[in-house]
Amino acid sequence: MAADDKIENKSEELGGKVKEGVGKATDNERLEAEGKADQSSSKLKQAGEAIKDAFKS
């Protein structure tokens, strides 16, 4: 996995955590759900990249 991909995926995950936290704090269920979805998407991308890396080695 390229370093820029790792950074991009991690920032997406952190952004999702922020969204989820803001959603919880403001009682905004939609924003909270978007945050959780962003985190899940990011983790899925990270897992896919890890699998690619494993096959390259």
Side-chain angles (χ1 to χ4, degrees):
M1 179 183 336
D4 57 333
D5 288 339
K6 286 182 182 180
I7 293 169
E8 183 179 327
N9 290 337
K10 207 51 153 162
S11 68
E12 182 178 348
E13 182 180 351
L14 291 174
K17 287 182 181 185
V18 169
K19 269 188 187 179
E20 181 182 5
V22 170
K24 284 182 181 180
T26 59
D27 201 30
N28 184 333
E29 291 178 4
R30 193 186 108 219
L31 189 59
E32 187 177 343
E34 284 179 16
K36 287 181 181 180
D38 288 350
Q39 290 176 65
S40 296
S41 171
S42 173
K43 288 179 182 179
L44 185 61
K45 288 178 190 176
Q46 290 175 31
E49 291 294 330
I51 291 170
K52 284 186 207 176
D53 287 346
F55 282 107
K56 287 181 183 177
S57 298

